[in-house]
Amino acid sequence: MKLEVMGVRFDNVTMDEALERARTLMATPGAACVVTPNAEIVYEAMRDPALCQLLNDADLVLPDGAGVVLASRILKTPLKQKVAGVDFADRMLALLAQTGGRVYLLGGKPGIAELAAENMRSKHPGLTICGTADGYFREETAVVEKINQAQPDFLFVCLGAPKQELFMERHRGELQVGLMAGLGGSLDAFAGTVKRAPQWMINCSLEWLYRLIKEPRRFGRMLRLPKFLWAVVRRRISGG
Ligand code: UDP
């Protein structure tokens, strides 16, 4: 079932249900597409109908972040839970290691995808990573060709939003992959170059605060979170 949060239609799924859906999509012909919008992206989409449409056209729309779940509660259409992109990706890797699926890592600065691949292989023995490429390329066609040659079942697209969503939309018809997912800075987390918040902060919905302390340059971007929540509250009050 879909639940709308400020124009973006999220799949109301638990992590386990998201994985089940992903498994089905991966086995269905054609390149299926997963997006993981957080509150910042939903706020962008409120002001950019094309981006909103792009998100809603994906096969699976997962709520990445406590802000989206909080907004759904304020709007009285509560989502079951946060399904963080990086956690979803990690569970997908476990699944692919078990089933012998192939993974391709696209995105991040040069060297990051390779570092992430090394860590993924040690955490999920037996995982097949069939290719890696950094996210700072000029020739998109060459990148698509390289991915198709590697024949992945699951493609990480980590170019930041909305670049990754636009890339997936542009090449969906020609990409020969089972499933691709826009996963933002996930490769940095897998590579260990950007640390995730401690578990207690994640549990207290304070992951945003940890990122703000670690990466103060994100301050401008993160101001979108209170602006977003204020817009949500106004929507709730007006009942619109
Ligand atoms: N990135 C990339 N190519 C680009 C711009 C960004 O590969 O042209 C990568 C960047 O190195 C980083 C990720 O995309 O690994 C974006 O990370 P961020 O944490 O900003 O993700 P978001 O919050 O947008 O999901």
Side-chain angles (χ1 to χ4, degrees):
M1 197 184 75
K2 294 274 189 181
L3 279 185
E4 196 220 291
V5 178
M6 307 303 275
V8 177
R9 290 160 48 76
F10 285 91
D11 286 275
N12 187 20
V13 286
T14 61
M15 177 63 85
D16 288 341
E17 288 164 347
L19 286 161
E20 200 43 53
R21 292 279 302 279
R23 191 205 272 266
T24 309
L25 287 168
M26 208 156 50
T28 312
C33 176
V34 183
V35 292
T36 59
N38 58 16
E40 285 174 22
I41 307 304
V42 178
Y43 186 67
E44 279 300 295
M46 283 167 61
R47 294 174 306 164
D48 180 349
L51 174 60
C52 190
Q53 189 63 46
L54 204 59
L55 297 172
N56 287 337
D57 283 346
D59 299 286
L60 193 54
V61 184
L62 300 177
D64 176 288
V68 173
V69 176
L70 175 61
S72 76
R73 292 192 183 135
I74 295 171
L75 294 167
K76 301 278 183 213
T77 48
L79 286 160
K80 286 181 187 168
Q81 61 170 235
K82 166 176 115 173
V83 184
V86 63
D87 295 330
F88 169 76
D90 195 45
R91 293 280 305 271
M92 281 299 292
L93 293 176
L95 182 84
L96 290 154
Q98 269 174 21
T99 55
R102 297 162 68 79
V103 184
Y104 195 104
L105 308 177
L106 170 67
K109 299 207 173 88
I112 293 296
E114 289 74 15
L115 205 54
E118 247 174 65
N119 293 340
M120 288 169 176
R121 283 197 197 99
S122 29
K123 186 168 176 197
H124 303 284
L127 181 69
T128 306
I129 296 180
C130 60
T132 54
D134 71 70
Y136 297 85
F137 46 83
R138 290 232 177 95
E139 262 297 311
E140 293 203 349
T141 322
V143 173
V144 171
E145 248 169 49
K146 246 182 96 182
I147 294 168
N148 284 346
Q149 275 164 15
Q151 302 209 310
D153 297 292
F154 186 57
L155 171 65
F156 277 63
V157 187
C158 298
L159 308 174
K163 194 172 175 185
Q164 58 201 16
E165 286 76 16
L166 288 163
F167 178 89
M168 293 193 287
E169 190 217 23
R170 264 198 302 278
H171 301 294
R172 199 174 171 160
E174 41 183 339
L175 274 167
Q176 293 157 23
V177 305
L179 184 67
M180 54 186 163
L183 292 165
S186 296
L187 286 178
D188 297 311
F190 283 107
T193 49
V194 173
K195 295 267 175 285
R196 278 197 86 189
Q199 194 59 45
W200 71 266
M201 287 189 97
I202 297 176
N203 294 346
C204 295
S205 301
L206 290 175
E207 202 165 2
W208 61 272
L209 180 61
Y210 182 84
R211 291 198 85 175
L212 184 58
I213 295 165
K214 287 283 176 184
E215 298 170 73
R217 68 184 164 81
R218 296 179 80 94
F219 182 72
R221 258 178 74 167
M222 288 183 76
L223 277 179
R224 291 185 205 150
L225 183 62
K227 286 183 189 162
F228 168 71
L229 288 175
W230 177 234
V232 170
V233 168
R234 281 204 323 258
R235 170 81 54 97
R236 169 85 181 93
I237 292 168
S238 72

